[in-house]
Amino acid sequence: MNIDIPVNLPKTAIIGASGFLGSAFLSSYRQIYPDTTGTARDHSGENVLYLDLLDPDITQMRLSETGHKEALILSAISKIDKCETEKELSREINVQGTLELARQLVNEGIKPVFFSSDYVFDGITGNYTDDSQTNPITEYGRQKAEVESKFEHITKGNYLVVRLSKVFSLKKGDGSLLDEIAGTLASGGIVRAAFDQIFCPTLISDVIGAVACLQAKGTTGIVNVCSPEAWSRYDIAVALAEKMGIGPGRINRISLDEVGFKSKRPKNTSMVPKRLLSEAGTTFTSLTECIEQTAISWSVT
Ligand SMILES: NC(=O)c1ccc[n+]([C@@H]2O[C@H](COP(=O)([O-])OP(=O)(O)OC[C@H]3O[C@@H](n4cnc5c(N)ncnc54)[C@H](OP(=O)(O)O)[C@@H]3O)[C@@H](O)[C@H]2O)c1
């Protein structure tokens, strides 16, 4: 992944370095600081230390001693259904453990950067701005909204909350948004896609560039970090099928209500990245371009 990371990025530890976003942030930030520390529960990587949010302890990370100024909190139970079925455990990790970690970071003089989600909104109106009222309807969203609301007090205002929409990559076979649809279509399958699920899909390299830029500028508070393009899952699937030369016949147009999740999901979680565009001037890769690239990589066998 070739991303322009500002050279004045504060040295930043990556909590949750084994995840989809954490592993990409770690390798990108190591372009600037090769000894960037990460954490994982399986701590086998170089300079990747053990940390479990069930009982977080950052002492052994020696963050301030090694020049770290900030930490990205990317560790969480990120599966929405799992938060619903394992409310107590997920709350211990996603709320209690995360807030305890933030307290320890603040005590060591490290600015915490927490990764939240468009699921803090109820999905009724869409077009949520950075300061729109939250009203989560899932347990996952409630946990994110609770952490967001407590961060200001815990950190005395020296924090950043990054609110993401669906993040995807262009790596073939990683199962992220476009790859999953393309893989199903390429193997002759039918894609069920909701016309009323609307969000702002964002390329992972754009997320990393935007967050690094916000950190370099010293931005605080809550920022929506997503592409300004809102798409329905159905329109994404149709556009991808067309680019793959398949046509829309294999896309089954459904409502989100028909999917059969463990709990009701918010429908239109589209966000307006107002602060990001005005304060960081971030530019985003268009989804149409990403769809074209995905179609090309799946047409090459
Ligand atoms: N990806 C998206 O589209 C998206 C959208 C909105 C918000 N977010 C948020 O962004 C963050 C990162 O997302 P992601 O997609 O990278 O998630 P992910 O791939 O599921 O990674 C989650 C990370 O959390 C760690 N983790 C899980 N339980 C833990 C525990 N008890 N203690 C310590 N670490 C634990 C995992 O480590 P192990 O390897 O040890 O399990 C992994 O490193 C999450 O907070 C997620 O809710 C992501």
Side-chain angles (χ1 to χ4, degrees), residues 16-22 41-42 51-54 74-79 93 115-117 140 144 164-167:
S18 54
F20 172 61
L21 281 158
R41 283 178 300 174
D42 167 8
L51 187 131
D52 191 332
L53 282 177
L54 282 172
L74 288 155
S75 50
I77 294 191
S78 62
K79 299 281 173 279
I93 292 168
F115 282 72
S116 185
S117 156
Y140 170 79
K144 291 291 189 193
L164 300 175
S165 183
K166 188 78 190 157
V167 183

PDB file of all heavy atoms in Angstrom, residues 16-22 41-42 51-54 74-79 93 115-117 140 144 164-167, ligand 1:
ATOM      1  N   GLY A  16      -4.036  -3.239  18.850  1.00  0.00           N
ATOM      2  CA  GLY A  16      -4.869  -4.050  17.941  1.00  0.00           C
ATOM      3  C   GLY A  16      -4.201  -4.187  16.588  1.00  0.00           C
ATOM      4  O   GLY A  16      -4.835  -4.079  15.541  1.00  0.00           O
ATOM      5  N   ALA A  17      -2.876  -4.448  16.626  1.00  0.00           N
ATOM      6  CA  ALA A  17      -2.076  -4.457  15.396  1.00  0.00           C
ATOM      7  C   ALA A  17      -2.283  -5.703  14.539  1.00  0.00           C
ATOM      8  O   ALA A  17      -1.742  -5.798  13.437  1.00  0.00           O
ATOM      9  CB  ALA A  17      -0.592  -4.299  15.749  1.00  0.00           C
ATOM     10  N   SER A  18      -3.061  -6.669  15.032  1.00  0.00           N
ATOM     11  CA  SER A  18      -3.289  -7.886  14.242  1.00  0.00           C
ATOM     12  C   SER A  18      -4.551  -7.791  13.394  1.00  0.00           C
ATOM     13  O   SER A  18      -4.817  -8.662  12.572  1.00  0.00           O
ATOM     14  CB  SER A  18      -3.429  -9.085  15.190  1.00  0.00           C
ATOM     15  OG  SER A  18      -4.435  -8.810  16.154  1.00  0.00           O
ATOM     16  N   GLY A  19      -5.348  -6.744  13.574  1.00  0.00           N
ATOM     17  CA  GLY A  19      -6.636  -6.649  12.880  1.00  0.00           C
ATOM     18  C   GLY A  19      -6.509  -6.105  11.463  1.00  0.00           C
ATOM     19  O   GLY A  19      -5.413  -5.773  10.993  1.00  0.00           O
ATOM     20  N   PHE A  20      -7.649  -6.021  10.785  1.00  0.00           N
ATOM     21  CA  PHE A  20      -7.705  -5.518   9.406  1.00  0.00           C
ATOM     22  C   PHE A  20      -7.104  -4.102   9.332  1.00  0.00           C
ATOM     23  O   PHE A  20      -6.204  -3.828   8.527  1.00  0.00           O
ATOM     24  CB  PHE A  20      -9.182  -5.523   8.959  1.00  0.00           C
ATOM     25  CG  PHE A  20      -9.451  -4.873   7.636  1.00  0.00           C
ATOM     26  CD1 PHE A  20      -8.881  -5.351   6.473  1.00  0.00           C
ATOM     27  CD2 PHE A  20     -10.316  -3.775   7.549  1.00  0.00           C
ATOM     28  CE1 PHE A  20      -9.141  -4.743   5.243  1.00  0.00           C
ATOM     29  CE2 PHE A  20     -10.582  -3.171   6.333  1.00  0.00           C
ATOM     30  CZ  PHE A  20     -10.000  -3.649   5.180  1.00  0.00           C
ATOM     31  N   LEU A  21      -7.572  -3.207  10.185  1.00  0.00           N
ATOM     32  CA  LEU A  21      -7.061  -1.834  10.144  1.00  0.00           C
ATOM     33  C   LEU A  21      -5.718  -1.720  10.856  1.00  0.00           C
ATOM     34  O   LEU A  21      -4.803  -1.048  10.374  1.00  0.00           O
ATOM     35  CB  LEU A  21      -8.074  -0.884  10.796  1.00  0.00           C
ATOM     36  CG  LEU A  21      -9.256  -0.516   9.898  1.00  0.00           C
ATOM     37  CD1 LEU A  21     -10.452  -0.040  10.708  1.00  0.00           C
ATOM     38  CD2 LEU A  21      -8.850   0.569   8.920  1.00  0.00           C
ATOM     39  N   GLY A  22      -5.595  -2.400  12.016  1.00  0.00           N
ATOM     40  CA  GLY A  22      -4.373  -2.267  12.807  1.00  0.00           C
ATOM     41  C   GLY A  22      -3.132  -2.703  12.052  1.00  0.00           C
ATOM     42  O   GLY A  22      -2.091  -2.042  12.102  1.00  0.00           O
ATOM     43  N   ARG A  41      -3.048  -9.931  20.926  1.00  0.00           N
ATOM     44  CA  ARG A  41      -3.084 -10.976  21.956  1.00  0.00           C
ATOM     45  C   ARG A  41      -2.088 -12.071  21.605  1.00  0.00           C
ATOM     46  O   ARG A  41      -1.512 -12.697  22.457  1.00  0.00           O
ATOM     47  CB  ARG A  41      -4.507 -11.489  22.146  1.00  0.00           C
ATOM     48  CG  ARG A  41      -5.325 -10.495  22.959  1.00  0.00           C
ATOM     49  CD  ARG A  41      -6.731 -10.927  23.126  1.00  0.00           C
ATOM     50  NE  ARG A  41      -7.405 -11.068  21.841  1.00  0.00           N
ATOM     51  CZ  ARG A  41      -8.629 -11.544  21.683  1.00  0.00           C
ATOM     52  NH1 ARG A  41      -9.311 -11.918  22.743  1.00  0.00           N
ATOM     53  NH2 ARG A  41      -9.179 -11.642  20.494  1.00  0.00           N
ATOM     54  N   ASP A  42      -1.883 -12.298  20.279  1.00  0.00           N
ATOM     55  CA  ASP A  42      -0.782 -13.158  19.848  1.00  0.00           C
ATOM     56  C   ASP A  42       0.362 -12.197  19.502  1.00  0.00           C
ATOM     57  O   ASP A  42       0.332 -11.535  18.476  1.00  0.00           O
ATOM     58  CB  ASP A  42      -1.194 -13.961  18.611  1.00  0.00           C
ATOM     59  CG  ASP A  42       0.002 -14.611  17.946  1.00  0.00           C
ATOM     60  OD1 ASP A  42       1.099 -14.572  18.525  1.00  0.00           O
ATOM     61  OD2 ASP A  42      -0.158 -15.142  16.832  1.00  0.00           O
ATOM     62  N   LEU A  51      -1.281  -7.437  24.709  1.00  0.00           N
ATOM     63  CA  LEU A  51      -2.250  -6.630  25.466  1.00  0.00           C
ATOM     64  C   LEU A  51      -3.644  -7.205  25.264  1.00  0.00           C
ATOM     65  O   LEU A  51      -4.059  -7.457  24.133  1.00  0.00           O
ATOM     66  CB  LEU A  51      -2.232  -5.161  25.006  1.00  0.00           C
ATOM     67  CG  LEU A  51      -3.111  -4.237  25.877  1.00  0.00           C
ATOM     68  CD1 LEU A  51      -2.383  -2.980  26.306  1.00  0.00           C
ATOM     69  CD2 LEU A  51      -4.405  -3.874  25.170  1.00  0.00           C
ATOM     70  N   ASP A  52      -4.337  -7.460  26.375  1.00  0.00           N
ATOM     71  CA  ASP A  52      -5.716  -7.954  26.305  1.00  0.00           C
ATOM     72  C   ASP A  52      -6.605  -6.911  26.972  1.00  0.00           C
ATOM     73  O   ASP A  52      -6.351  -6.515  28.111  1.00  0.00           O
ATOM     74  CB  ASP A  52      -5.829  -9.304  27.040  1.00  0.00           C
ATOM     75  CG  ASP A  52      -7.168  -9.974  26.767  1.00  0.00           C
ATOM     76  OD1 ASP A  52      -8.171  -9.256  26.508  1.00  0.00           O
ATOM     77  OD2 ASP A  52      -7.229 -11.218  26.815  1.00  0.00           O
ATOM     78  N   LEU A  53      -7.623  -6.474  26.269  1.00  0.00           N
ATOM     79  CA  LEU A  53      -8.514  -5.450  26.818  1.00  0.00           C
ATOM     80  C   LEU A  53      -9.332  -5.953  28.003  1.00  0.00           C
ATOM     81  O   LEU A  53      -9.948  -5.158  28.704  1.00  0.00           O
ATOM     82  CB  LEU A  53      -9.458  -4.923  25.731  1.00  0.00           C
ATOM     83  CG  LEU A  53      -8.862  -3.910  24.747  1.00  0.00           C
ATOM     84  CD1 LEU A  53      -9.883  -3.534  23.683  1.00  0.00           C
ATOM     85  CD2 LEU A  53      -8.378  -2.652  25.458  1.00  0.00           C
ATOM     86  N   LEU A  54      -9.324  -7.271  28.245  1.00  0.00           N
ATOM     87  CA  LEU A  54     -10.026  -7.783  29.420  1.00  0.00           C
ATOM     88  C   LEU A  54      -9.280  -7.385  30.691  1.00  0.00           C
ATOM     89  O   LEU A  54      -9.868  -7.332  31.760  1.00  0.00           O
ATOM     90  CB  LEU A  54     -10.162  -9.306  29.342  1.00  0.00           C
ATOM     91  CG  LEU A  54     -11.266  -9.799  28.405  1.00  0.00           C
ATOM     92  CD1 LEU A  54     -11.200 -11.309  28.246  1.00  0.00           C
ATOM     93  CD2 LEU A  54     -12.652  -9.363  28.899  1.00  0.00           C
ATOM     94  N   LEU A  74      -7.456   0.376  18.110  1.00  0.00           N
ATOM     95  CA  LEU A  74      -8.125  -0.354  17.020  1.00  0.00           C
ATOM     96  C   LEU A  74      -8.570  -1.735  17.467  1.00  0.00           C
ATOM     97  O   LEU A  74      -9.080  -2.514  16.666  1.00  0.00           O
ATOM     98  CB  LEU A  74      -7.169  -0.460  15.820  1.00  0.00           C
ATOM     99  CG  LEU A  74      -6.972   0.872  15.078  1.00  0.00           C
ATOM    100  CD1 LEU A  74      -5.631   0.891  14.361  1.00  0.00           C
ATOM    101  CD2 LEU A  74      -8.107   1.118  14.109  1.00  0.00           C
ATOM    102  N   SER A  75      -8.320  -2.058  18.738  1.00  0.00           N
ATOM    103  CA  SER A  75      -8.719  -3.373  19.245  1.00  0.00           C
ATOM    104  C   SER A  75     -10.157  -3.299  19.742  1.00  0.00           C
ATOM    105  O   SER A  75     -10.539  -2.332  20.405  1.00  0.00           O
ATOM    106  CB  SER A  75      -7.790  -3.783  20.388  1.00  0.00           C
ATOM    107  OG  SER A  75      -7.708  -2.719  21.301  1.00  0.00           O
ATOM    108  N   ALA A  76     -10.934  -4.303  19.385  1.00  0.00           N
ATOM    109  CA  ALA A  76     -12.341  -4.344  19.792  1.00  0.00           C
ATOM    110  C   ALA A  76     -12.945  -5.647  19.311  1.00  0.00           C
ATOM    111  O   ALA A  76     -12.400  -6.302  18.426  1.00  0.00           O
ATOM    112  CB  ALA A  76     -13.113  -3.186  19.151  1.00  0.00           C
ATOM    113  N   ILE A  77     -14.088  -5.994  19.890  1.00  0.00           N
ATOM    114  CA  ILE A  77     -14.930  -6.998  19.239  1.00  0.00           C
ATOM    115  C   ILE A  77     -15.697  -6.211  18.196  1.00  0.00           C
ATOM    116  O   ILE A  77     -16.549  -5.373  18.517  1.00  0.00           O
ATOM    117  CB  ILE A  77     -15.865  -7.699  20.252  1.00  0.00           C
ATOM    118  CG1 ILE A  77     -14.992  -8.515  21.213  1.00  0.00           C
ATOM    119  CG2 ILE A  77     -16.886  -8.564  19.528  1.00  0.00           C
ATOM    120  CD1 ILE A  77     -15.718  -9.470  22.098  1.00  0.00           C
ATOM    121  N   SER A  78     -15.348  -6.421  16.935  1.00  0.00           N
ATOM    122  CA  SER A  78     -15.875  -5.567  15.871  1.00  0.00           C
ATOM    123  C   SER A  78     -17.060  -6.195  15.138  1.00  0.00           C
ATOM    124  O   SER A  78     -17.633  -5.579  14.251  1.00  0.00           O
ATOM    125  CB  SER A  78     -14.754  -5.243  14.876  1.00  0.00           C
ATOM    126  OG  SER A  78     -14.287  -6.439  14.279  1.00  0.00           O
ATOM    127  N   LYS A  79     -17.391  -7.430  15.497  1.00  0.00           N
ATOM    128  CA  LYS A  79     -18.513  -8.101  14.821  1.00  0.00           C
ATOM    129  C   LYS A  79     -19.824  -7.700  15.501  1.00  0.00           C
ATOM    130  O   LYS A  79     -19.993  -7.905  16.718  1.00  0.00           O
ATOM    131  CB  LYS A  79     -18.354  -9.634  14.876  1.00  0.00           C
ATOM    132  CG  LYS A  79     -17.079 -10.134  14.187  1.00  0.00           C
ATOM    133  CD  LYS A  79     -17.236 -10.181  12.667  1.00  0.00           C
ATOM    134  CE  LYS A  79     -15.933 -10.499  11.942  1.00  0.00           C
ATOM    135  NZ  LYS A  79     -15.009  -9.360  11.753  1.00  0.00           N
ATOM    136  N   ILE A  93     -14.930  -5.711  27.010  1.00  0.00           N
ATOM    137  CA  ILE A  93     -13.802  -5.401  26.122  1.00  0.00           C
ATOM    138  C   ILE A  93     -13.976  -4.023  25.473  1.00  0.00           C
ATOM    139  O   ILE A  93     -13.095  -3.166  25.543  1.00  0.00           O
ATOM    140  CB  ILE A  93     -13.681  -6.502  25.037  1.00  0.00           C
ATOM    141  CG1 ILE A  93     -13.254  -7.809  25.703  1.00  0.00           C
ATOM    142  CG2 ILE A  93     -12.744  -6.097  23.908  1.00  0.00           C
ATOM    143  CD1 ILE A  93     -13.365  -9.037  24.823  1.00  0.00           C
ATOM    144  N   PHE A 115     -11.308   4.475  17.669  1.00  0.00           N
ATOM    145  CA  PHE A 115     -12.009   4.230  16.405  1.00  0.00           C
ATOM    146  C   PHE A 115     -13.452   3.837  16.670  1.00  0.00           C
ATOM    147  O   PHE A 115     -13.729   2.779  17.230  1.00  0.00           O
ATOM    148  CB  PHE A 115     -11.261   3.175  15.570  1.00  0.00           C
ATOM    149  CG  PHE A 115     -10.066   3.790  14.898  1.00  0.00           C
ATOM    150  CD1 PHE A 115      -8.956   4.147  15.633  1.00  0.00           C
ATOM    151  CD2 PHE A 115     -10.082   4.072  13.537  1.00  0.00           C
ATOM    152  CE1 PHE A 115      -7.864   4.778  15.042  1.00  0.00           C
ATOM    153  CE2 PHE A 115      -8.994   4.694  12.932  1.00  0.00           C
ATOM    154  CZ  PHE A 115      -7.893   5.052  13.687  1.00  0.00           C
ATOM    155  N   SER A 116     -14.353   4.718  16.251  1.00  0.00           N
ATOM    156  CA  SER A 116     -15.773   4.494  16.434  1.00  0.00           C
ATOM    157  C   SER A 116     -16.412   4.168  15.078  1.00  0.00           C
ATOM    158  O   SER A 116     -15.697   3.847  14.114  1.00  0.00           O
ATOM    159  CB  SER A 116     -16.393   5.738  17.081  1.00  0.00           C
ATOM    160  OG  SER A 116     -17.746   5.507  17.370  1.00  0.00           O
ATOM    161  N   SER A 117     -17.724   4.265  15.020  1.00  0.00           N
ATOM    162  CA  SER A 117     -18.436   3.737  13.852  1.00  0.00           C
ATOM    163  C   SER A 117     -19.689   4.544  13.536  1.00  0.00           C
ATOM    164  O   SER A 117     -20.282   5.167  14.432  1.00  0.00           O
ATOM    165  CB  SER A 117     -18.813   2.285  14.184  1.00  0.00           C
ATOM    166  OG  SER A 117     -19.906   1.862  13.423  1.00  0.00           O
ATOM    167  N   TYR A 140     -23.539  -3.062  19.554  1.00  0.00           N
ATOM    168  CA  TYR A 140     -22.240  -2.574  19.063  1.00  0.00           C
ATOM    169  C   TYR A 140     -22.243  -1.044  19.027  1.00  0.00           C
ATOM    170  O   TYR A 140     -21.318  -0.389  19.528  1.00  0.00           O
ATOM    171  CB  TYR A 140     -21.996  -3.158  17.667  1.00  0.00           C
ATOM    172  CG  TYR A 140     -20.814  -2.592  16.901  1.00  0.00           C
ATOM    173  CD1 TYR A 140     -19.510  -3.000  17.173  1.00  0.00           C
ATOM    174  CD2 TYR A 140     -21.011  -1.672  15.870  1.00  0.00           C
ATOM    175  CE1 TYR A 140     -18.431  -2.500  16.451  1.00  0.00           C
ATOM    176  CE2 TYR A 140     -19.938  -1.176  15.139  1.00  0.00           C
ATOM    177  CZ  TYR A 140     -18.650  -1.588  15.430  1.00  0.00           C
ATOM    178  OH  TYR A 140     -17.594  -1.078  14.700  1.00  0.00           O
ATOM    179  N   LYS A 144     -20.028   1.742  21.226  1.00  0.00           N
ATOM    180  CA  LYS A 144     -19.204   2.801  20.611  1.00  0.00           C
ATOM    181  C   LYS A 144     -19.646   4.179  21.110  1.00  0.00           C
ATOM    182  O   LYS A 144     -18.806   5.019  21.447  1.00  0.00           O
ATOM    183  CB  LYS A 144     -19.324   2.750  19.081  1.00  0.00           C
ATOM    184  CG  LYS A 144     -18.690   1.529  18.417  1.00  0.00           C
ATOM    185  CD  LYS A 144     -17.182   1.562  18.503  1.00  0.00           C
ATOM    186  CE  LYS A 144     -16.516   0.481  17.681  1.00  0.00           C
ATOM    187  NZ  LYS A 144     -15.089   0.325  17.994  1.00  0.00           N
ATOM    188  N   LEU A 164     -15.758   5.838  11.653  1.00  0.00           N
ATOM    189  CA  LEU A 164     -15.615   5.228  10.325  1.00  0.00           C
ATOM    190  C   LEU A 164     -16.945   4.727   9.783  1.00  0.00           C
ATOM    191  O   LEU A 164     -17.836   4.328  10.536  1.00  0.00           O
ATOM    192  CB  LEU A 164     -14.680   4.011  10.411  1.00  0.00           C
ATOM    193  CG  LEU A 164     -13.250   4.234  10.888  1.00  0.00           C
ATOM    194  CD1 LEU A 164     -12.529   2.891  11.010  1.00  0.00           C
ATOM    195  CD2 LEU A 164     -12.490   5.158   9.940  1.00  0.00           C
ATOM    196  N   SER A 165     -17.034   4.667   8.446  1.00  0.00           N
ATOM    197  CA  SER A 165     -18.090   3.905   7.784  1.00  0.00           C
ATOM    198  C   SER A 165     -17.444   2.576   7.391  1.00  0.00           C
ATOM    199  O   SER A 165     -16.421   2.194   7.965  1.00  0.00           O
ATOM    200  CB  SER A 165     -18.596   4.685   6.574  1.00  0.00           C
ATOM    201  OG  SER A 165     -19.666   3.999   5.971  1.00  0.00           O
ATOM    202  N   LYS A 166     -17.995   1.858   6.409  1.00  0.00           N
ATOM    203  CA  LYS A 166     -17.407   0.564   6.028  1.00  0.00           C
ATOM    204  C   LYS A 166     -16.078   0.794   5.305  1.00  0.00           C
ATOM    205  O   LYS A 166     -16.024   1.512   4.306  1.00  0.00           O
ATOM    206  CB  LYS A 166     -18.391  -0.153   5.091  1.00  0.00           C
ATOM    207  CG  LYS A 166     -18.016  -1.560   4.773  1.00  0.00           C
ATOM    208  CD  LYS A 166     -18.359  -2.454   5.926  1.00  0.00           C
ATOM    209  CE  LYS A 166     -17.789  -3.837   5.781  1.00  0.00           C
ATOM    210  NZ  LYS A 166     -17.657  -4.511   7.064  1.00  0.00           N
ATOM    211  N   VAL A 167     -15.024   0.169   5.818  1.00  0.00           N
ATOM    212  CA  VAL A 167     -13.700   0.316   5.213  1.00  0.00           C
ATOM    213  C   VAL A 167     -13.396  -0.935   4.391  1.00  0.00           C
ATOM    214  O   VAL A 167     -13.692  -2.048   4.827  1.00  0.00           O
ATOM    215  CB  VAL A 167     -12.620   0.521   6.298  1.00  0.00           C
ATOM    216  CG1 VAL A 167     -11.251   0.740   5.672  1.00  0.00           C
ATOM    217  CG2 VAL A 167     -12.985   1.694   7.205  1.00  0.00           C
TER     218      VAL A 167
HETATM  219  N1  LIG B   1     -13.322  -2.249   9.400  1.00  0.00           N
HETATM  220  C1  LIG B   1     -14.358  -1.415   9.330  1.00  0.00           C
HETATM  221  O1  LIG B   1     -15.010  -1.268   8.274  1.00  0.00           O
HETATM  222  C2  LIG B   1     -14.759  -0.619  10.544  1.00  0.00           C
HETATM  223  C3  LIG B   1     -15.847   0.241  10.441  1.00  0.00           C
HETATM  224  C4  LIG B   1     -16.230   0.994  11.557  1.00  0.00           C
HETATM  225  C5  LIG B   1     -15.521   0.882  12.748  1.00  0.00           C
HETATM  226  N2  LIG B   1     -14.477   0.011  12.820  1.00  0.00           N
HETATM  227  C6  LIG B   1     -13.771  -0.112  14.097  1.00  0.00           C
HETATM  228  O2  LIG B   1     -12.370   0.008  13.881  1.00  0.00           O
HETATM  229  C7  LIG B   1     -11.665  -0.849  14.777  1.00  0.00           C
HETATM  230  C8  LIG B   1     -10.770  -1.809  13.990  1.00  0.00           C
HETATM  231  O3  LIG B   1     -11.587  -2.544  13.102  1.00  0.00           O
HETATM  232  P1  LIG B   1     -11.030  -3.794  12.276  1.00  0.00           P
HETATM  233  O4  LIG B   1     -11.906  -3.947  11.105  1.00  0.00           O
HETATM  234  O5  LIG B   1      -9.553  -3.673  12.086  1.00  0.00           O
HETATM  235  O6  LIG B   1     -11.346  -4.974  13.310  1.00  0.00           O
HETATM  236  P2  LIG B   1     -10.733  -6.459  13.363  1.00  0.00           P
HETATM  237  O7  LIG B   1     -10.095  -6.832  12.082  1.00  0.00           O
HETATM  238  O8  LIG B   1     -11.840  -7.305  13.888  1.00  0.00           O
HETATM  239  O9  LIG B   1      -9.597  -6.352  14.445  1.00  0.00           O
HETATM  240  C9  LIG B   1      -9.924  -6.251  15.803  1.00  0.00           C
HETATM  241  C10 LIG B   1      -8.671  -6.194  16.627  1.00  0.00           C
HETATM  242  O10 LIG B   1      -9.079  -6.184  17.999  1.00  0.00           O
HETATM  243  C11 LIG B   1      -8.303  -7.137  18.701  1.00  0.00           C
HETATM  244  N3  LIG B   1      -9.017  -7.651  19.861  1.00  0.00           N
HETATM  245  C12 LIG B   1     -10.186  -8.336  19.907  1.00  0.00           C
HETATM  246  N4  LIG B   1     -10.472  -8.643  21.190  1.00  0.00           N
HETATM  247  C13 LIG B   1      -9.457  -8.164  21.947  1.00  0.00           C
HETATM  248  C14 LIG B   1      -9.155  -8.176  23.336  1.00  0.00           C
HETATM  249  N5  LIG B   1      -9.918  -8.784  24.246  1.00  0.00           N
HETATM  250  N6  LIG B   1      -8.023  -7.569  23.744  1.00  0.00           N
HETATM  251  C15 LIG B   1      -7.200  -6.979  22.880  1.00  0.00           C
HETATM  252  N7  LIG B   1      -7.398  -6.947  21.555  1.00  0.00           N
HETATM  253  C16 LIG B   1      -8.531  -7.529  21.096  1.00  0.00           C
HETATM  254  C17 LIG B   1      -8.013  -8.221  17.675  1.00  0.00           C
HETATM  255  O11 LIG B   1      -6.874  -8.921  18.121  1.00  0.00           O
HETATM  256  P3  LIG B   1      -6.770 -10.528  18.117  1.00  0.00           P
HETATM  257  O12 LIG B   1      -6.011 -10.822  16.857  1.00  0.00           O
HETATM  258  O13 LIG B   1      -6.012 -10.821  19.327  1.00  0.00           O
HETATM  259  O14 LIG B   1      -8.173 -11.081  18.118  1.00  0.00           O
HETATM  260  C18 LIG B   1      -7.723  -7.365  16.439  1.00  0.00           C
HETATM  261  O15 LIG B   1      -6.405  -6.890  16.458  1.00  0.00           O
HETATM  262  C19 LIG B   1     -12.735  -1.559  15.617  1.00  0.00           C
HETATM  263  O16 LIG B   1     -12.949  -0.834  16.800  1.00  0.00           O
HETATM  264  C20 LIG B   1     -13.968  -1.467  14.744  1.00  0.00           C
HETATM  265  O17 LIG B   1     -15.156  -1.512  15.513  1.00  0.00           O
HETATM  266  C21 LIG B   1     -14.076  -0.747  11.751  1.00  0.00           C
END
